[in-house]
Amino acid sequence: MSRAARGKARGCRRAAAATGRLQARLLLLLVLLQATPAVQPSKRFLRSGGPRHNSLKIVGSIVFPVKVYVKLNHNSPRILCLTNHLRNLELIDPIFQWNGPGGGLSSENSSVQISPTGTLILRHFNLSGVYTCSIVYKLTAMQPDKNLVIKYLIYAYSDPKNCYEFTARYHAAPCNSSHNTSFKKALLQILSKLVAELSCEVTLIKSECHHVKMQRGGLQNEIFFTFSVASLDREKHNRLCQQSACDASHRLNKAKHLIERFFKQQVEISRKSSEPLPEIYYIEGTLQMVWVDRCYPGYGMNALTHPDCPECCVVCSPGSYNPSNGIHCLRCDSSLIYGATKC
């Protein structure tokens, strides 16, 4: 082997060894973080399912359709086939008939419950649209029948999918080096393990290597990481922990604090170390974080259209759609259904 080839091989081995030392240092940091009590997160409250539906009653109006918001795949509140005026009257021989987007409603359907007094409960709700109730009644036995139609607009909604989106920069090996790829995989594995016990997941959004001209200096290689941290569904495990500990926002805040400490302690370890900096290392002060709300496709937020549910992801009405995980329903004149994901 020539002297140049031997020198190149030694350089590669030194670079690989430096990357290995950094990965070992990150793993040690992970162990220290998991053994240290987490910082208590600041309180942040997300919108819940609202009042207990088994006691909430919705009354109709003959002036305008009443909007009702039902959490997707949950039971609706009690929806009355009455107005406030009729509730205070004695009705003789009342007959109630409910109709929904698919036609007439009957208690024979397992997803529908109608009481003898015309109160409607929709089970495992997922069919948004116009619901009407017609009531035929008499105020006295001698009077002719009176007929009244009450209209409701019933919308399915879901809580927004919340996540924290982080960006961080690392001093890197040459942009075409495989060491950068190996480091990226190791970093994501460590971050994922860090938040796994909180039922949270880390997702890499993008990773880009750039040549950066330093102020009054030369060029250096830097990796720009962007990743998100989101809480997973933990309803199945609620009975194993206290409600506050299982709450998605509580777990997500704890995950955020763990990640912030992880990057902070990388800087502290580097300062205390007597060894020279490895080829790949975190650049102090570059960690940035934003809170992101997202809605499922076919759902969106609109505080003007839905002032009673301003932080809800409400199903998109006809004339609008949401094709992805955006936050708003977009206009689409050709859309004729609720919850459209295409235009």
Side-chain angles (χ1 to χ4, degrees), residues 230-246:
S231 59
L232 300 172
D233 181 17
R234 208 177 186 185
E235 289 184 359
K236 298 177 182 178
H237 307 290
N238 275 352
R239 54 189 175 177
L240 301 179
C241 56
Q242 296 180 350
Q243 186 174 358
S244 60
C246 288

Side-chain angles (χ1 to χ4, degrees), residues 223-292:
I223 305 175
F224 291 66
F225 286 108
T226 303
F227 61 93
S228 65
V229 182
S231 59
L232 300 172
D233 181 17
R234 208 177 186 185
E235 289 184 359
K236 298 177 182 178
H237 307 290
N238 275 352
R239 54 189 175 177
L240 301 179
C241 56
Q242 296 180 350
Q243 186 174 358
S244 60
C246 288
D247 180 71
S249 61
H250 177 85
R251 291 185 283 111
L252 196 52
N253 268 296
K254 290 187 72 173
K256 181 198 76 159
H257 282 276
L258 282 174
I259 288 173
E260 287 175 333
R261 290 171 62 224
F262 172 76
F263 282 92
K264 181 180 178 180
Q265 291 192 12
Q266 285 184 68
V267 175
E268 293 175 354
I269 290 174
S270 296
R271 286 175 177 173
K272 294 177 182 178
S273 175
S274 59
E275 298 180 7
L277 286 172
E279 187 174 30
I280 304 175
Y281 61 87
Y282 168 63
I283 301 174
E284 181 178 358
T286 61
L287 182 69
Q288 302 292 327
M289 180 270 300
V290 293
W291 174 264
V292 179

Side-chain angles (χ1 to χ4, degrees), residues 103-120:
L105 301 180
S106 168
S107 292
E108 295 178 0
N109 187 329
S110 61
S111 64
V112 175
Q113 178 183 329
I114 301 175
S115 74
T117 57
T119 298
L120 172 69

Side-chain angles (χ1 to χ4, degrees), residues 22-173:
L22 177 59
Q23 292 179 4
R25 186 181 296 176
L26 291 176
L27 285 169
L28 176 61
L29 182 55
L30 172 63
V31 172
L32 292 173
L33 282 168
Q34 290 177 331
T36 307
V39 175
Q40 288 297 319
S42 59
K43 291 185 178 179
R44 180 185 180 93
F45 298 96
L46 303 179
R47 183 180 180 89
S48 67
R52 292 184 179 275
H53 284 174
N54 57 4
S55 61
L56 182 64
K57 295 180 179 180
I58 307 295
V59 180
S61 171
I62 59 172
V63 180
F64 51 82
V66 173
K67 293 181 179 180
V68 183
Y69 301 92
V70 182
K71 194 166 187 179
L72 184 65
N73 296 323
H74 285 63
N75 294 346
S76 75
R78 299 172 186 269
I79 305 172
L80 307 187
C81 188
L82 293 170
T83 63
N84 272 320
H85 175 68
L86 290 181
R87 287 189 77 186
N88 298 318
L89 298 178
E90 186 177 78
L91 307 180
I92 297 176
D93 296 330
I95 300 174
F96 307 94
Q97 176 60 53
W98 279 95
N99 288 277
L105 301 180
S106 168
S107 292
E108 295 178 0
N109 187 329
S110 61
S111 64
V112 175
Q113 178 183 329
I114 301 175
S115 74
T117 57
T119 298
L120 172 69
I121 297 178
L122 300 168
R123 300 185 180 278
H124 311 294
F125 181 72
N126 61 8
L127 186 59
S128 301
V130 177
Y131 286 75
T132 60
C133 178
S134 64
I135 174 174
V136 179
Y137 64 95
K138 297 177 182 179
L139 293 178
T140 69
M142 302 302 294
Q143 282 187 342
D145 290 343
K146 291 190 175 184
N147 190 1
L148 189 66
V149 177
I150 302 171
K151 182 183 290 187
Y152 291 91
L153 291 174
I154 306 182
Y155 298 94
Y157 80 91
S158 65
D159 292 327
K161 296 189 298 180
N162 308 114
C163 71
Y164 285 109
E165 195 168 286
F166 290 87
T167 57
R169 291 161 61 177
Y170 276 78
H171 185 280

